[in-house]
Amino acid sequence: MKRKLLSVMLIAAMTAALTACGGSSSSSSSSTEEASSEAAEESTDEGEEASAEATGQKIGISMPTQSLERWNRDGAYLDEQFQNAGFETVLTYSDNDSGQQVNDIQNMLADNVDLLIVAAIDGEALNTAMNEAAEAGVPVIAYDRLIMNDAVSYYVSFDNYTVGTLQGQFIVETLDLDNAGDTVYNMEITAGDPADNNAGYFYQGAIDVLQPYMDAGTLNVVSGQTDFDTVATDQWSTDTALERAQNVLSSYYADGTQLDVWLCSNDSTALGVAQAVTSDYAGSNTVIITGQDGDEANLKNIVDGVQTMTVYKNVSNESIVTLSLAQAMLAGETIDESLIPSFGIDCAFDTESYETSDGNKCPSFLLVPSVITADNLQELVDTGLYEMGEDGYLSAVQ
């Protein structure tokens, strides 16, 4: 399918530092003597050489919000990676306010950053800041979410369409839809934030897998709510997803109609849906609920059998790729697939799938996501980023 536009570790000290720097609105973080000391003690000769080369260079890191667990992880990983490589960093969180994010980026430009890394709140709302970055000659990496402005030099993300296809394929395989015969399974859908360019890719990837079964009547969306605009969830809000799920259940399932699966694009929306199913669903069967991100509360739900799966994206790896790309850009190196072996991470270089404007292709480095269920939680432990408690629940390594 041709896809165009669709409108190392998180440590407690780092999290505390981020919170202290600005709560849930905007915060900034730069190298401290303690962090520099720790980095120096742990550096190899190669790391020391990289730090020396980076002396005097400043990186602006703009994250959308601290209200979602994953963005706290992204921001902390990026901040840590760049500081350990010898860069000075400015890290901000914009409280899901695009106007604030524009201001944050403008302040970074006034602070003479050498490169910007931006995870956009709204990929179409940053033109002012992006145009100013272009005028100042400051390169921009769109991080995880594409920005619709040609000032963006490169895009680093996961294969977002594949995230959706993995969710769809999981549903097909778990329900054995290819051998369903006359059996009809009832499904509902919750998608993501329409301001997030990725949300459309997640949704479309899943729908492209499931549509043939919907057309055949094997999958039946009882509410009839299938188009993206209807099932979208502003700001990926758990409360918004919860409220809509409760309305759907009371309107279409209160008579005992069985619900078999709820396709959720990410973990924050899945958390709301799971809460609604637990409290308001009249049926006694286990409902398949999908997700994405590997948030701790959702991993607990997976252990408890409340959520069925999540598509995991190792954002620590995403920060490693971003660092390597930024270093190559600042050094004036050639940027293409030849960089990938240096990442040590499964990744593809894509020059066709994403555009920042009509006809302007954005070269992209796309990492590979994976499916996590109750049967393979150990894979998260093996990353070194999670630990399993005696109760069987996973938590981020402190």
Side-chain angles (χ1 to χ4, degrees):
M1 170 184 174
K2 185 175 182 180
R3 293 168 279 154
K4 289 196 174 225
L5 297 179
L6 289 170
S7 291
V8 180
M9 297 181 181
L10 180 60
I11 56 176
M14 180 72 74
T15 302
L18 293 177
T19 302
C21 286
S24 61
S25 56
S26 175
S27 65
S28 64
S29 171
S30 60
S31 302
T32 63
E33 292 182 4
E34 180 180 355
S36 299
S37 175
E38 291 175 357
E41 291 175 1
E42 297 174 358
S43 293
T44 60
D45 291 340
E46 180 179 353
E48 291 172 352
E49 180 179 348
S51 296
E53 292 174 354
T55 298
Q57 292 180 306
K58 186 183 299 183
I59 307 297
I61 304 169
S62 175
M63 294 286 106
T65 180
Q66 288 183 300
S67 65
L68 293 181
E69 178 185 323
R70 71 145 300 178
W71 294 117
N72 287 289
R73 282 188 273 140
D74 283 272
Y77 287 139
L78 285 165
D79 203 37
E80 183 180 37
Q81 289 285 344
F82 277 90
Q83 287 191 26
N84 286 346
F87 291 91
E88 182 180 353
T89 63
V90 180
L91 170 65
T92 63
Y93 292 86
S94 303
D95 199 26
N96 272 330
D97 182 336
S98 293
Q100 179 63 50
Q101 189 164 42
V102 170
N103 290 336
D104 289 341
I105 294 170
Q106 289 174 324
N107 288 338
M108 291 177 186
L109 292 171
D111 200 22
N112 296 315
V113 296
D114 296 284
L115 183 142
L116 285 166
I117 299 166
V118 180
I121 295 166
D122 183 339
E124 298 183 350
L126 298 180
N127 283 329
T128 298
M130 293 297 97
N131 292 342
E132 291 179 10
E135 291 171 4
V138 176
V140 179
I141 296 174
Y143 180 87
D144 202 77
R145 296 173 171 178
L146 190 61
I147 301 169
M148 303 305 145
N149 187 286
D150 293 348
V152 173
S153 302
Y154 298 96
Y155 178 39
V156 177
S157 188
F158 283 79
D159 189 331
N160 298 308
Y161 182 81
T162 294
V163 169
T165 63
L166 289 173
Q167 293 171 338
Q169 289 165 358
F170 180 86
I171 291 168
V172 170
E173 294 169 5
T174 302
L175 294 177
D176 194 18
L177 295 184
D178 290 327
N179 298 303
D182 295 331
T183 303
V184 177
Y185 294 99
N186 293 328
M187 178 179 74
E188 297 297 334
I189 304 168
T190 295
D193 185 355
D196 180 351
N197 182 71
N198 290 346
Y201 285 99
F202 302 146
Y203 165 84
Q204 198 61 54
I207 292 300
D208 284 349
V209 172
L210 299 175
Q211 192 66 57
Y213 303 97
M214 296 163 66
D215 292 342
T218 305
L219 281 177
N220 175 42
V221 179
V222 177
S223 69
Q225 299 174 14
T226 59
D227 66 284
F228 178 78
D229 289 339
T230 301
V231 301
T233 308
D234 286 346
Q235 297 185 357
W236 301 94
S237 168
T238 296
D239 289 340
T240 301
L242 167 61
E243 182 179 359
R244 176 172 169 267
Q246 288 174 323
N247 290 336
V248 168
L249 290 172
S250 63
S251 299
Y252 301 98
Y253 294 90
D255 62 357
T257 298
Q258 179 166 308
L259 173 65
D260 298 292
V261 57
W262 204 306
L263 170 67
C264 298
S265 287
N266 87 323
D267 278 352
S268 60
T269 56
L271 204 61
V273 168
Q275 184 176 336
V277 169
T278 300
S279 61
D280 299 312
Y281 175 50
S284 58
N285 64 298
T286 298
V287 179
I288 295 170
I289 299 176
T290 68
Q292 172 196 180
D293 285 332
D295 290 350
E296 286 187 33
N298 299 81
L299 295 175
K300 181 179 185 299
N301 277 349
I302 288 176
V303 173
D304 291 340
V306 178
Q307 182 171 324
T308 319
M309 63 86 80
T310 189
V311 177
Y312 178 62
K313 303 187 301 187
N314 188 330
V315 296
S316 175
N317 285 347
E318 193 172 6
S319 71
I320 291 170
V321 171
T322 303
L323 170 63
S324 296
L325 172 60
Q327 288 174 318
M329 292 168 64
L330 292 171
E333 298 176 7
T334 300
I335 310 296
D336 56 24
E337 66 276 359
S338 65
L339 278 179
I340 293 177
S342 69
F343 301 158
I345 293 165
D346 195 5
C347 183
F349 183 64
D350 185 327
T351 59
E352 295 297 326
S353 296
Y354 296 92
E355 298 178 343
T356 53
S357 65
D358 189 22
N360 189 70
K361 305 291 186 182
C362 184
S364 307
F365 289 92
L366 304 177
L367 289 76
V368 180
S370 58
V371 171
I372 296 295
T373 69
D375 294 329
N376 67 340
L377 289 169
Q378 183 62 38
E379 290 186 15
L380 296 182
V381 178
D382 292 344
T383 66
L385 304 176
Y386 293 85
E387 57 188 5
M388 186 176 293
E390 293 181 359
D391 55 7
Y393 295 137
L394 272 67
S395 60
V397 172
Q398 300 298 312

